[in-house]
């Protein structure tokens, strides 16, 4: 006889226990895999990765500098427009006060002339559009009305200009914040890598850096070749006086510099104003090949021109390299990126 009894269902508690056990087994397996020691990067690998991060940080720094310069320019322009608006409003108020005084005088004399009522209208453009109205005005009153009309239009344009500049300023400030976070992120990532080194490896890296700085300071013969010009000589001399000062993002001296901060400061000491960023500096003066370079010429590196220094002669440049370094001499062949061209200011 065939049995019609339902098969016995597994105990719910037992299923839960089995499921939990299986999950625990998977977790233990995953943890065991994670526990496998990862191969630690060697000193040379860390150094290469850190150098790349510092290069990316410098790229972001130059973009930060550009946004900062744009912000300062916009702030000056907005201030100028707002001052002009304030002066224009004061002038407009004076013109209206004069018309108001005329209306008061006429009122006391028995009533306000229709032409004066027109002058006090909040919408003089509407009435000026009616040529017949001008015939009712005296020349003095017509001139006053035209002045009010012109000042109102000018103020409207200036206010619109100020509004647009304020929008651009807000956008630029957002970009500035993004660039700053990008730089900080790259530097933090580089520091994290450096922290994986042993104390002995970190000491060796620091010693290499000190040797590079000391070697730079000992190159006393550099810069004695013929300078590009008197102002190039003055700029180079100023930059040379800053050897040993630290690289700091966004700094323009006199206690610290970034790459374009050093070059713009140096030329300022020669009474020559050049743009703030490396990209903008690359667009001034006369462009040069490597064989045409003379002491004091600007030299640009990397495809996006994010690094700049001053040519020092004998294939050397004087520059502020990157975070963790100081203003120093260095061979053009060890910058880490290709030489693009020079510029004679």
């Amino acid at each position: 006889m065939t049995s019609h009894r339902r098969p016995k269902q597994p105990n719910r508690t037992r299923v839960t226990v089995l499921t939990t056990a299986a999950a625990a087994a998977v977790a233990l397996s995953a943890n065991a895999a994670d526990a496998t020691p990862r191969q630690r990067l060697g000193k040379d690998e860390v150094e290469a990765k850190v150098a790349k991060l510092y290069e990316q940080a410098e790229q972001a720094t130059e973009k930060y500098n550009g946004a900062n310069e744009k912000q300062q320019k916009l702030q000056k322009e907005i201030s100028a427009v707002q001052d002009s608006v304030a002066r224009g409003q004061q002038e407009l108020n004076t013109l209206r006060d004069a018309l108001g005084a005329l209306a008061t005088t006429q009122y006391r004399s028995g009533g306000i002339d229709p032409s004066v009522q027109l002058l006090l209208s909040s919408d003089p453009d509407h009435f000026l559009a009616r040529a017949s109205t001008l015939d009712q005005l005296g020349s003095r009153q017509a001139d006053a009305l035209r002045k009010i009309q012109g000042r109102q239009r000018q103020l409207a344009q200036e206010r619109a200009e100020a509004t647009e500049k304020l929008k651009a300023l807000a956008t630029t400030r957002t970009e500035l914040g993004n660039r700053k976070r990008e730089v900080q992120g790259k530097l933090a990532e580089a520091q994290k890598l450096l922290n994986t080194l042993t104390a002995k490896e970190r000491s060796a890296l620091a010693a290499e850096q000190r040797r590079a700085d000391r070697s730079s300071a000992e190159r006393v013969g550099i810069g004695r070749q013929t300078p590009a010009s008197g102002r190039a000589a003055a700029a180079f001399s100023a930059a040379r006086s800053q050897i040993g000062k630290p690289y700091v993002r966004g700094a323009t001296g006199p206690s610290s510099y970034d790459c374009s901060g050093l070059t713009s400061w140096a030329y300022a000491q020669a009474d020559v104003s050049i743009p703030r960023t490396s990209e903008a500096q690359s667009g001034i003066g006369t462009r040069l090949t490597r064989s045409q370079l003379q002491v004091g010429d600007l030299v640009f590196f990397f495809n996006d021109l994010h690094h700049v220094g001053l040519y020092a002669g004998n294939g050397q440049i004087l520059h502020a390299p990157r975070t963790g370094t100081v203003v120093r001499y260095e061979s053009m062949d060890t910058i880490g990126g290709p030489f693009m061209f020079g510029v004679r200011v």
Side-chain angles (χ1 to χ4, degrees):
M1 181 175 180
T2 304
S3 173
H4 295 285
R5 287 189 303 170
R6 298 174 62 187
K8 186 177 181 181
Q9 297 294 321
N11 183 280
R12 185 170 296 176
T13 302
R14 182 170 176 269
V15 171
T16 302
V17 170
L18 288 173
T19 304
T20 303
V26 172
L28 286 172
S29 175
N31 288 338
D34 288 343
T36 303
R38 294 179 181 177
Q39 185 175 2
R40 190 175 68 84
L41 295 178
K43 170 180 161 296
D44 292 343
E45 291 176 290
V46 168
E47 190 173 7
K49 286 180 177 291
V50 166
K52 185 63 177 176
L53 286 166
Y54 281 153
E55 178 194 331
Q56 292 169 350
E58 189 182 23
Q59 284 178 298
T61 293
E62 283 303 294
K63 291 175 181 176
Y64 170 90
N65 290 339
N68 189 45
E69 187 176 37
K70 183 178 179 181
Q71 174 182 259
Q72 293 173 0
K73 182 181 178 182
L74 281 169
Q75 286 174 328
K76 289 179 181 178
E77 290 175 352
I78 289 169
S79 179
V81 172
Q82 289 175 335
D83 286 346
S84 178
V85 168
R87 289 193 301 271
Q89 187 62 57
Q90 186 176 9
E91 181 183 340
L92 185 59
N93 292 341
T94 299
L95 290 170
R96 284 175 170 167
D97 288 345
L99 290 175
L102 176 60
T104 300
T105 301
Q106 289 190 353
Y107 179 77
R108 288 173 179 170
S109 301
I112 301 178
D113 187 277
S115 62
V116 176
Q117 292 178 354
L118 167 61
L119 292 172
L120 294 174
S121 168
S122 61
D123 187 14
D125 282 352
H126 171 70
F127 292 97
L128 280 178
R130 296 161 53 189
S132 59
T133 303
L134 289 175
D135 295 337
Q136 302 172 15
L137 301 176
S139 60
R140 183 179 176 184
Q141 293 171 336
D143 287 343
L145 185 56
R146 287 193 183 94
K147 284 182 181 179
I148 290 177
Q149 180 193 39
R151 211 66 186 95
Q152 284 178 326
R153 286 175 175 168
Q154 185 178 352
L155 282 174
Q157 291 174 350
E158 289 176 346
R159 287 191 175 109
E161 181 183 353
T163 298
E164 289 303 310
K165 287 184 182 297
L166 285 168
K167 290 180 182 177
L169 180 60
T171 301
T172 301
R173 282 176 172 162
T174 299
E175 181 186 359
L176 199 59
N178 291 340
R179 296 302 181 190
K180 184 176 181 179
R181 284 189 290 274
E182 183 180 357
V183 173
Q184 291 172 335
K186 297 296 182 184
L187 295 180
E189 191 175 348
Q191 188 58 55
K192 186 176 179 181
L193 275 172
L194 290 171
N195 291 341
T196 66
L197 297 177
T198 65
K200 183 177 180 180
E201 289 170 330
R202 287 198 296 271
S203 178
L205 272 180
E208 289 175 10
Q209 190 60 60
R210 287 194 296 273
R211 281 195 297 272
D213 294 341
R214 186 166 56 250
S215 173
S216 169
E218 291 170 353
R219 298 180 199 182
V220 293
I222 298 295
R224 292 185 177 176
Q225 295 180 338
T226 304
S229 64
R231 56 189 179 185
F236 183 81
S237 177
R240 185 166 53 189
S241 72
Q242 302 304 294
I243 287 177
K245 299 285 182 72
Y247 177 102
V248 173
R249 170 185 58 81
T252 57
S255 58
S256 58
Y257 302 88
D258 61 21
C259 69
S260 57
L262 175 66
T263 51
S264 59
W265 178 87
Y267 267 95
Q269 309 318 299
D271 295 323
V272 179
S273 177
I274 65 174
R276 169 64 180 89
T277 67
S278 58
E279 184 178 5
Q281 289 176 13
S282 71
I284 63 173
T286 304
R287 191 166 291 196
L288 310 166
T289 64
R290 182 164 179 163
S291 64
Q292 295 173 314
L293 293 174
Q294 291 180 261
V295 172
D297 287 332
L298 298 173
V299 282
F300 298 88
F301 298 85
F302 298 95
N303 293 330
D304 62 355
L305 309 174
H306 73 257
H307 190 70
V308 62
L310 293 167
Y311 186 65
N314 295 330
Q316 304 287 312
I317 69 167
L318 179 56
H319 68 150
R322 56 173 173 76
T323 298
T325 65
V326 298
V327 175
R328 69 188 189 194
Y329 292 115
E330 190 168 343
S331 168
M332 293 175 66
D333 300 322
T334 60
I335 299 302
F339 166 74
M340 303 307 295
F341 54 82
V343 164
R344 184 159 300 154
V345 180

